[in-house]
């Protein structure tokens, strides 16, 4: 008799894993280090083996990007300023195009990933989400890719839980995808209560938060 667990998380070809911003600058010793950010690398590598469909995202800013505190004299990193598209947290300079800090963590190993979405390229607008820039209106093009590939459900992992993972999840719900965040494969920054706000948002939007082992049991 086969011991097969009925699980809502059995992965098939309509599922896709989005691996968010596992880049040197978001790992310890990076310019915008997410505490313990590198801990997710082996977890994400294991998760990747369960998915045929994987997208990687990469924060990829021009020098002098408006999300950098250094671009705004008199402001410090983690200040929030008003931009035409809403509040914007200011960050240390990070993930500048072509620099070692913008490269993926060298331990990240998901060779079957079919697409790398680079975001934050426009000097005048930030882009936390993999689907939309921070005006929540300018698309990155990922939604079209997902629809053309017949993807129905998105699993999210990476950095940071309370910014790029959060915004990606929220936009994906808005686009009609089922969304599952693999929480122990994420790490947060927690600026001004942002981790708690993320949990509240996910609960309101029916974004499932699971642990990596919930998937491993089905593979
Ligand atoms: Zn950025």
């Amino acid at each position: 008799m086969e011991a097969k667990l009925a699980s809502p998380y059995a992965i098939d070809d309509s599922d896709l894993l989005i691996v968010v911003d596992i880049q040197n600058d978001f790992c310890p010793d990076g310019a915008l280090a997410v505490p313990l950010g590198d801990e997710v690398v082996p977890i994400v590598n294991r998760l990747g083996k369960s998915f045929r469909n994987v997208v990687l995202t990469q924060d990829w800013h021009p020098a002098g990007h408006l999300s950098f505190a250094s671009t705004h004299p008199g402001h410090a990193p983690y200040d929030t300023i008003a931009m035409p598209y809403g509040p914007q947290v200011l960050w240390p300079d990070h993930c500048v195009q072509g620099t070692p800090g913008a490269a993926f963590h060298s331990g990240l190993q998901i060779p079957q990933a079919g697409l790398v979405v680079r975001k934050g390229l426009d000097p005048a607008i930030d882009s936390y989400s993999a689907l939309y820039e921070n005006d929540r209106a300018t698309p990155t093009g990922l939604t079209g890719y997902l629809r053309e590939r017949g993807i129905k459900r998105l699993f999210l992992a990476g950095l940071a839980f309370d910014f790029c993972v959060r915004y990606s999840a929220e936009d994906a719900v808005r686009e009609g995808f089922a969304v599952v965040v693999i929480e122990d494969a994420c790490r947060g920054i927690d600026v001004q209560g942002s981790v708690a706000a993320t949990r509240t948002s996910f609960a309101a939007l029916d974004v499932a938060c699971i642990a990596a082992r919930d998937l491993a049991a089905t593979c």
Side-chain angles (χ1 to χ4, degrees):
M1 195 157 130
E2 284 188 53
K4 275 196 177 171
L5 293 174
S7 165
Y9 302 116
I11 304 304
D12 66 28
D13 286 352
S14 67
D15 293 312
L16 182 140
L17 175 66
I18 301 181
V19 176
V20 178
D21 295 5
I22 301 189
Q23 296 168 255
N24 291 326
D25 271 346
F26 295 129
C27 291
D29 300 326
L32 176 39
V34 178
L36 308 177
D38 58 339
E39 286 186 355
V40 305
V41 172
I43 302 170
V44 168
N45 287 345
R46 278 198 300 277
L47 283 171
K49 297 182 194 306
S50 301
F51 289 85
R52 185 167 183 182
N53 300 308
V54 181
V55 168
L56 310 179
T57 73
Q58 195 172 24
D59 214 31
W60 197 253
H61 300 306
H65 192 253
L66 75 62
S67 73
F68 298 167
S70 63
T71 304
H72 305 271
H75 285 283
Y78 310 104
D79 285 354
T80 299
I81 63 167
M83 294 301 300
Y85 54 82
Q88 171 71 49
V89 178
L90 298 178
W91 305 106
D93 290 24
H94 66 279
C95 296
V96 174
Q97 294 167 2
T99 63
F104 289 118
H105 187 285
S106 61
L108 187 65
Q109 291 181 351
I110 309 185
Q112 80 275 25
L115 180 71
V116 176
V117 176
R118 287 176 165 169
K119 58 191 182 61
L121 284 78
D122 185 330
I125 185 168
D126 207 1
S127 188
Y128 296 152
S129 164
L131 285 73
Y132 286 94
E133 300 195 18
N134 279 14
D135 59 2
R136 313 307 282 265
T138 305
T140 64
L142 178 59
T143 304
Y145 174 89
L146 298 171
R147 290 209 205 292
E148 289 198 345
R149 300 286 311 283
I151 301 301
K152 307 289 188 205
R153 184 169 59 172
L154 302 177
F155 290 77
L156 289 166
L159 308 173
F161 173 76
D162 43 337
F163 285 90
C164 294
V165 172
R166 174 188 178 175
Y167 276 57
S168 297
E170 291 173 348
D171 284 344
V173 167
R174 189 156 57 94
E175 288 293 344
F177 296 99
V179 181
V180 180
V181 172
I182 307 162
E183 197 167 344
D184 58 343
C186 302
R187 293 292 181 276
I189 297 179
D190 207 11
V191 177
Q192 297 154 17
S194 53
V195 166
T198 299
R199 292 191 204 289
T200 301
S201 168
F202 285 177
L205 294 173
D206 281 333
V207 171
C209 289
I210 68 167
R213 68 172 180 276
D214 297 334
L215 282 183
T218 69
C219 313

